[in-house]
């Protein structure tokens, strides 16, 4: 006789379904201009919008940072830090985590699209 253990069953909430369905699209948020894909294409997904708004702020910083890149040490360190943050954002999004990037998250909350 097979007996099912009730504690083994997981219930999924709409929030969990949103995360599972949109992890890959949310990861696009951290690939430079591709942040516009989830930002404009997944307006119904809170998870994708969360990461897309942070990705948009990172994109703006990267564009401005491109101008600063020409300064010897500071520019290179800034761009390296942005690449590391972007990679971490991709990994966190693919893992289904709601990672609030320090400072950037505060700016991203101000975006209303």
């Amino acid at each position: 006789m097979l007996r099912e253990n009730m504690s083994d069953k997981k219930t999924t909430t709409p929030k969990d379904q949103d995360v599972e369905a949109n992890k890959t699209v949310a990861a696009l948020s951290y690939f430079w201009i591709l942040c516009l894909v989830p930002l404009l294409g997944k307006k119904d997904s809170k998870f994708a919008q969360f990461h897309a708004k942070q990705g948009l702020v990172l994109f703006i910083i990267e564009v401005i940072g491109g101008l600063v890149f020409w300064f010897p040490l500071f520019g290179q360190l800034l761009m390296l830090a942005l690449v590391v943050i972007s990679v971490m954002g991709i990994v966190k999004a693919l893992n289904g985590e709601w990672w609030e990037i320090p400072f950037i998250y505060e700016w991203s909350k101000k975006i209303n699209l």
Side-chain angles (χ1 to χ4, degrees):
M1 226 194 282
L2 292 174
R3 290 177 27 184
E4 291 184 35
N5 188 350
M6 295 301 281
S7 64
D8 289 343
K9 290 185 179 180
K10 288 186 176 182
T11 57
T12 58
T13 64
K15 190 174 183 179
D16 294 336
Q17 292 171 348
D18 177 31
V19 170
E20 286 301 315
N22 295 296
K23 283 196 272 189
T24 307
V25 175
L28 287 177
S29 301
Y30 299 101
F31 285 106
W32 207 53
I33 192 79
L34 291 179
C35 65
L36 296 177
V37 172
L39 193 62
L40 301 174
K42 290 290 187 173
K43 289 188 181 256
D44 59 331
S45 170
K46 294 222 183 269
F47 185 71
Q49 288 293 302
F50 174 83
H51 285 286
K53 289 177 181 178
Q54 290 190 130
L56 181 61
V57 172
L58 272 177
F59 171 64
I60 292 167
I61 293 171
E62 288 169 356
V63 168
I64 295 168
L67 302 172
V68 178
F69 182 72
W70 298 106
F71 293 102
L73 186 61
F74 180 72
Q76 285 86 359
L77 290 176
L78 174 66
M79 294 309 277
L80 178 64
L82 291 172
V83 167
V84 169
I85 291 170
S86 293
V87 170
M88 288 176 64
I90 292 165
V91 170
K92 299 286 188 177
L94 290 174
N95 287 332
E97 297 178 34
W98 297 74
W99 181 48
E100 296 176 1
I101 303 171
F103 305 110
I104 291 173
Y105 173 69
E106 294 302 318
W107 291 340
S108 73
K109 288 192 308 187
K110 296 175 183 178
I111 298 172
N112 293 319
L113 294 176

